[in-house]
Amino acid sequence: MKKDLVQLVYSIFVLVVSCAAEELLPPVFGVGVPVLLSASVYFALNRTPVVGLLFALAAGAAEDSLSSLPLAASLSCFVVACALLRGLKLHFALAVFAYPLYQLWIWAWLGSAMQGRILVRILAAFPVGVVTSVAVWALLRWLDGKAAVDEK
């Protein structure tokens, strides 16, 4: 019971801080910093399937709100990415491709609103996604230990 409460409070804290980071960090090479997506992938691969799915749902809804995207554009991508990574038991090394694929997903939703810059966005998204994923994963792994999330 106590472990569940600690995980809930910790998850809400990570969600709020990730939202703040996404909003406050400037775009790099024309693409935003994918803190919410990186945190979602971390939760999908390091928590129970239910916790990972719920965090992906919350993070996707937050991303849609922050980015003024159509309802369920990011939410559906976050859930699909996390479910695939978890279901196929993929390693973190393959998770770094989530952000370029997310850019392609958003382009499929928005199409002409992106003004045909999809190739540039995908090429820019890869290094930004790799650096952000590594940083978020390292920070969350450290915070997991400090917050005693896995303690009974």
Side-chain angles (χ1 to χ4, degrees), residues 17-29:
V17 170
S18 297
C19 287
E22 286 233 357
E23 194 63 27
L24 295 174
L25 291 172
V28 180
F29 304 124

Side-chain angles (χ1 to χ4, degrees), residues 44-45 80-92 94:
L45 295 177
V80 168
C82 291
L84 284 175
L85 287 168
R86 178 72 183 215
L88 298 176
K89 295 179 178 29
L90 297 178
H91 191 264
F92 166 70
L94 291 176

Side-chain angles (χ1 to χ4, degrees), residues 99-122:
Y99 192 49
L101 292 174
Y102 171 71
Q103 292 295 326
L104 189 60
W105 183 277
I106 294 302
W107 178 74
W109 276 77
L110 299 178
S112 63
M114 292 181 78
Q115 301 163 354
R117 303 175 314 195
I118 186 61
L119 183 59
V120 173
R121 290 181 70 88
I122 289 174

Side-chain angles (χ1 to χ4, degrees), residues 127-142:
V128 172
V130 169
V131 169
T132 305
S133 293
V134 170
V136 167
W137 275 59
L139 181 63
L140 288 179
R141 199 164 290 269
W142 178 76

Side-chain angles (χ1 to χ4, degrees), residues 40-60:
S40 294
V41 169
Y42 178 84
F43 271 73
L45 295 177
N46 293 297
R47 298 286 188 273
T48 63
V50 173
V51 172
L53 177 65
L54 290 175
F55 190 86
L57 283 168

